[in-house]
Amino acid sequence: MKLLIMKDGKVFAEANGQKKAAELLGWTEEQVSEVIRKGSAIDGITLDYPLTRDRIGSVVCAYTSTTVHRYRSLSECARAYGMARSRIEKLIETGATADDGITTFDIPLS
């Protein structure tokens, strides 16, 4: 997976995977992993995965009796509700409610 290597908010290099990023920066793979996981920086250098159209996925809507919240992807929705993507997929498939007994999920037509 492609990583963007940034300093002061500007991309100065790209690397295919954490191992290549570690080699390029002279860091250990553990340092690279920690910077990605925590969103921290070492010597002003940060790492990020680029969001591309093919990684965003399908839009998912979460419905309650009074609100509709639209998420850009199944993963984003799953993070917001603190559950696995597979659990959201199963709730969409069955039409069942989430554990709160109110929220349902669906993939909109457009």
Side-chain angles (χ1 to χ4, degrees):
M1 180 158 300
K2 187 165 70 169
L3 275 171
L4 299 178
I5 302 170
M6 300 179 293
K7 184 159 184 144
D8 301 323
K10 297 182 187 207
V11 176
F12 72 88
E14 293 181 7
N16 278 331
Q18 294 182 13
K19 185 174 183 178
K20 291 289 183 188
E23 290 171 4
L24 181 69
L25 295 167
W27 296 356
T28 65
E29 287 183 59
E30 291 79 26
Q31 286 174 308
V32 170
S33 180
E34 184 175 330
V35 167
I36 293 169
R37 188 177 62 251
K38 291 183 177 178
S40 59
I42 295 178
D43 297 328
I45 296 173
T46 58
L47 304 168
D48 197 13
Y49 290 106
L51 286 178
T52 59
R53 185 169 295 282
D54 58 325
R55 285 192 58 216
I56 292 176
S58 298
V59 171
V60 176
C61 289
Y63 299 92
T64 67
S65 58
T66 58
T67 64
V68 176
H69 192 83
R70 186 178 179 104
Y71 294 94
R72 293 181 303 159
S73 69
L74 190 58
S75 296
E76 182 182 354
C77 182
R79 279 192 303 273
Y81 282 89
M83 57 178 78
R85 284 185 8 230
S86 60
R87 173 81 172 125
I88 301 240
E89 288 172 337
K90 191 68 169 172
L91 292 173
I92 290 170
E93 187 178 301
T94 62
T97 62
D99 294 338
D100 63 8
I102 300 170
T103 308
T104 58
F105 304 95
D106 204 0
I107 297 172
L109 294 174
S110 58

